[in-house]
Amino acid sequence: MSSKITKTITTGVQVKCKLCDANIIFDVNDSASFLSKTEHQNFFGMMLVTYRVQHIVNGEKHLNAVLIDQQNLFRGYIDAYKIPIMQEEKKVDLADFRNYLILEEEIYPLTSSDIFTNFFIINTTGWILEVAKLASINTEAVLRSIFDKIEESKTIYENIPQPLNIKVANLEFYIWIEGSTHVMVTFQKKKDTFELNELFERITKNIENNEIIPKKRIFKILDTILQVTDLAEKNPDIILRLLSDDLYYSKIKTRYPERIMEIIPKISKRHSIPKSILVDLLFGKYSLIELFEEKPELITECKQITETLDFINRRKLLV
């Protein structure tokens, strides 16, 4: 008679907050212990789930998006950000900026771009993100003027146009609104407004639905993509994946790393991707997003690189 030994998988998970290093504990079987979860398809031999969890510190919520594997083991951060604790209570008065949280205030916004002159994201539950900003701009004064005109537009239109065009001084803002999320942009070239309209509609919806995390790093990548590629016109879905796909923010880990050097020459030849890039990604030196941040010149190849990773993963060449 033989007995079968089974391994018990614990359902309790403890992770460190990426913002303040405090412990956050949740149970994968208790939906009340986390905000949301996103299940992913097989990722280089691993079944991964993104959990969004939070804790409260000094009057604000710290939200963390973390990757957990099928053994309920922590596999990395997607990202982390702050939101005001008032979010679940009521909308705040935009005129009173003391009640608004300026996200990533310590990181300078873009000051020069071939695409944007100003790029603000405002959520009327109480936070503001300055992605790009002219040095001479008083953000508070601009936003007050814009929201006054948004309120005026509500008395004129049954459905506010998307984007809503509002002039403030000599600046022409285009504004996309979805729920509490307001994306406000002034472009270097007016034609960009029409060419990027559909993309920005989808970006605004994804921010409102918590599919895109409001982080400056994400929108700096967007700015570079729009400058050096034609994906907005030809492949906007790739842009949205790069901004929102959790797995692109995770380093690749495989069960059989010894096979990597065996397949890299074949993959590199088939997809015309430099071997060094495949080595960096497949050995987990960088996540895809970290690679683009470290080597922004590679963003011109982002379509080819993402398609190559999909090819390797889909055919389970390293599993």
Side-chain angles (χ1 to χ4, degrees):
M1 183 177 178
S2 62
S3 61
K4 185 177 180 181
I5 300 176
T6 59
K7 183 178 179 181
T8 303
I9 300 176
T10 179
T11 61
V13 180
Q14 177 175 296
V15 297
K16 293 281 188 182
C17 175
K18 193 177 182 182
L19 298 174
C20 69
D21 211 35
N23 289 325
I24 303 176
I25 300 172
F26 64 99
D27 189 322
V28 299
N29 285 346
D30 179 8
S31 61
S33 68
F34 53 84
L35 296 175
S36 66
K37 75 174 183 178
T38 305
E39 297 181 357
H40 304 288
Q41 295 180 347
N42 189 294
F43 183 62
F44 293 90
M46 299 178 67
M47 301 302 295
L48 299 174
V49 181
T50 299
Y51 288 89
R52 283 179 167 76
V53 295
Q54 70 175 20
H55 71 133
I56 296 173
V57 181
N58 298 327
E60 62 190 21
K61 295 177 183 178
H62 289 184
L63 277 73
N64 288 252
V66 295
L67 276 176
I68 305 297
D69 68 13
Q70 63 266 43
Q71 303 296 320
N72 294 330
L73 297 176
F74 172 75
R75 288 296 181 179
Y77 296 96
I78 304 304
D79 222 321
Y81 61 105
K82 305 173 185 176
I83 59 172
I85 202 168
M86 66 188 69
Q87 174 164 308
E88 295 175 355
E89 297 171 3
K90 61 180 181 179
K91 293 186 178 183
V92 294
D93 181 3
L94 189 75
D96 189 353
F97 278 80
R98 293 171 299 177
N99 289 331
Y100 272 70
L101 179 68
I102 309 298
L103 301 186
E104 299 185 314
E105 192 172 13
E106 71 283 1
I107 302 174
Y108 287 112
L110 295 170
T111 55
S112 178
S113 166
D114 289 342
I115 305 294
F116 310 111
T117 51
N118 295 284
F119 183 172
F120 305 131
I121 304 171
I122 297 88
N123 190 291
T124 52
T125 57
W127 57 259
I128 298 168
L129 183 68
E130 298 176 321
V131 178
K133 176 182 174 181
L134 292 170
S136 58
I137 287 293
N138 181 325
T139 303
E140 180 176 340
V142 168
L143 294 183
R144 282 178 177 163
S145 180
I146 288 174
F147 271 84
D148 284 345
K149 293 184 179 183
I150 289 176
E151 289 304 311
E152 179 184 332
S153 298
K154 290 178 181 178
T155 67
I156 297 172
Y157 296 105
E158 289 187 13
N159 296 299
I160 294 179
Q162 300 281 319
L164 179 64
N165 182 206
I166 288 177
K167 294 199 78 170
V168 177
N170 65 335
L171 297 171
E172 191 164 11
F173 276 90
Y174 292 89
I175 301 161
W176 290 266
I177 303 171
E178 183 70 29
S180 300
T181 301
H182 298 65
V183 173
M184 306 176 177
V185 182
T186 58
F187 293 99
Q188 288 281 11
K189 302 172 184 176
K190 190 167 184 176
K191 70 179 183 65
D192 289 334
T193 309
F194 308 102
E195 294 176 356
L196 299 177
N197 178 41
E198 182 180 349
L199 176 64
F200 269 83
E201 278 188 3
R202 295 173 69 180
I203 287 173
T204 306
K205 289 178 181 177
N206 283 2
I207 296 171
E208 174 69 13
N209 296 331
N210 296 316
E211 295 173 27
I212 293 179
I213 295 175
K215 299 280 286 185
K216 288 181 181 177
R217 66 184 297 214
I218 292 175
F219 297 106
K220 285 181 179 179
I221 289 173
L222 170 65
D223 180 66
T224 306
I225 291 172
L226 295 179
Q227 289 189 61
V228 301
T229 77
D230 59 2
L231 291 176
E233 178 184 353
K234 295 183 177 180
N235 297 97
D237 286 344
I238 291 179
I239 295 178
L240 291 167
R241 279 189 70 189
L242 287 167
L243 299 182
S244 62
D245 191 330
D246 293 340
L247 297 182
Y248 286 162
Y249 294 79
S250 173
K251 293 179 180 178
I252 293 171
K253 296 179 182 179
T254 69
R255 287 188 287 179
Y256 304 108
E258 66 275 8
R259 297 190 59 193
I260 292 175
M261 294 310 298
E262 174 188 336
I263 74 159
I264 279 180
K266 301 174 185 176
I267 298 299
S268 179
K269 184 177 180 180
R270 179 186 179 105
H271 292 271
S272 300
I273 298 291
K275 294 177 184 178
S276 60
I277 295 175
L278 292 174
V279 168
D280 284 346
L281 290 171
L282 296 180
F283 277 106
K285 181 177 179 181
Y286 301 111
S287 68
L288 182 61
I289 296 304
E290 288 171 340
L291 179 72
F292 291 149
E293 290 175 326
E294 185 73 18
K295 303 176 181 180
E297 67 276 9
L298 294 178
I299 290 178
T300 58
E301 308 297 325
C302 64
K303 179 177 183 292
Q304 198 166 6
I305 294 172
T306 56
E307 288 176 348
T308 302
L309 291 180
D310 285 345
F311 173 83
I312 299 170
N313 189 38
R314 189 168 55 249
R315 284 161 178 76
K316 302 182 179 180
L317 299 180
L318 292 173
V319 178

